Amino acid sequence: MLFISLIALIVSTEKITICGDTHGQYYDLLNIFKLNGLPSETNPYLFNGDFVDRGSFSVEVILTLFSFKLLYPDNFHLLRGNHETDNMNQMYGFEGEVKAKYTAQMFQLFSEVFQWLPLAQCINNKVLVMHGGLFSEDGVTLEDLRKIDRNRQPPDSGPMCDLLWSDPQPQNGRSISKRGVSCQFGPDVTERFLEQNKLDYVVRSHEVKADGYEVTHSGKCITVFSAPNYCDQMGNKGAYIHLRGSDLKPEFHQFTAVPHPNVKPMAYANTLMQLGMM
């Protein structure tokens, strides 16, 4: 199985909707479908990782997304985020939530499926989508990404790690990541990668943004984040992006948080992480 799959937008009027992190915010996910229409063969979606953890309705989110993937396997796309991993799920709530609502065996099944999620998606050979970002070293090609063995927990370094964990920075070059893993990459890094791989721009998620999205690196690096009022405390908007087959120029759509049942974020998280949220 290839790590990079191709979405072919053949008809110029076709569009695909790209959503960023949803992080267990099930009622905000339903609101996306209310605003933008349910997934279908004529209304394709790409969800760019971090479906679970933090929000306390992660089971509902992931089962909904998996159901649409089963219904529309060629028109509904899911990429792996850094939170579709065992160590994150143990700390930030998904493992505890699955065990509370189902069983430990059920969590192992989710873990197995997460390991098979693609790490990146290339749209019309022009736009590369991944959860985190670009790489700690120059010279990485799309063919290199296709060769990654993805059926595993991610390593602490290398291209698989970077796809899940890296972040853009405004200054040229690279720097140590504030996250303690992978790197931060500048506009020159983005430009070289795009030029080498004959791409127009990249779309990534991974970071909360006040407006739900952010355009950086002279329009070549776009962040989209789809969990509004993140963790019930950030006050940010959510956003999703439309890309149309005619020119793939991004169209941004913002939305605000909707009410949810009175279950606080991180309700199922590791005890130490819950204390950190107080």
Side-chain angles (χ1 to χ4, degrees), residues 119-221:
L119 296 177
Q121 198 119 20
C122 192
I123 302 175
N124 276 14
N125 294 315
K126 292 184 177 181
V127 180
L128 187 67
V129 185
M130 76 290 283
H131 178 73
L134 297 181
F135 306 99
S136 301
E137 296 180 352
D138 284 342
V140 177
T141 66
L142 299 186
E143 188 59 34
D144 292 331
L145 302 185
R146 290 187 177 96
K147 294 176 181 177
I148 296 174
D149 174 18
R150 74 174 183 254
N151 184 22
R152 55 179 170 155
Q153 295 302 309
D156 293 332
S157 61
M160 182 176 179
C161 173
D162 295 331
L163 284 166
L164 299 175
W165 279 98
S166 71
D167 296 294
Q169 65 181 20
Q171 68 272 25
N172 282 338
R174 294 180 175 88
S175 62
I176 297 172
S177 174
K178 57 185 180 293
R179 302 176 188 271
V181 64
S182 188
C183 69
Q184 296 180 177
F185 60 93
D188 58 329
V189 174
T190 300
E191 187 66 39
R192 288 194 298 271
F193 174 80
L194 295 175
E195 183 176 347
Q196 179 176 7
N197 290 283
K198 298 180 173 57
L199 297 167
D200 291 349
Y201 61 92
V202 298
V203 176
R204 42 90 61 181
S205 300
H206 196 39
E207 291 180 289
V208 60
K209 299 296 179 183
D211 293 326
Y213 71 94
E214 185 176 60
V215 180
T216 57
H217 295 183
S218 301
K220 300 298 180 68
C221 182

Side-chain angles (χ1 to χ4, degrees), residues 249-261:
K249 181 180 178 181
E251 305 168 4
F252 302 99
H253 299 266
Q254 298 172 298
F255 59 97
T256 55
V258 297
H260 63 74

Side-chain angles (χ1 to χ4, degrees), residues 19 33 38 47 79 82 87 100 103 186 215 228 247 252 262 264:
C19 299
F33 294 145
L38 289 172
F47 279 83
L79 299 185
N82 65 303
N87 58 351
T103 62
V215 180
D247 60 6
F252 302 99
N262 188 25
K264 296 185 182 303

Side-chain angles (χ1 to χ4, degrees), residues 11 37 44 50 71 91-92 94 104 120 160 171 177 180 187 194 209 221 230 242 246-247 252 273:
V11 181
D50 281 16
L71 274 172
M91 289 189 289
Y92 291 99
F94 184 59
M160 182 176 179
Q171 68 272 25
S177 174
L194 295 175
K209 299 296 179 183
C221 182
Y230 183 43
H242 287 162
S246 53
D247 60 6
F252 302 99
M273 302 308 300

Side-chain angles (χ1 to χ4, degrees), residues 223-235:
T223 299
V224 60
F225 192 86
S226 303
N229 194 26
Y230 183 43
C231 292
D232 287 357
Q233 60 184 228
M234 297 298 290

Side-chain angles (χ1 to χ4, degrees), residues 43-54:
N43 192 28
Y45 279 82
L46 168 57
F47 279 83
N48 195 22
D50 281 16
F51 322 120
V52 301
D53 283 338
R54 300 194 186 273

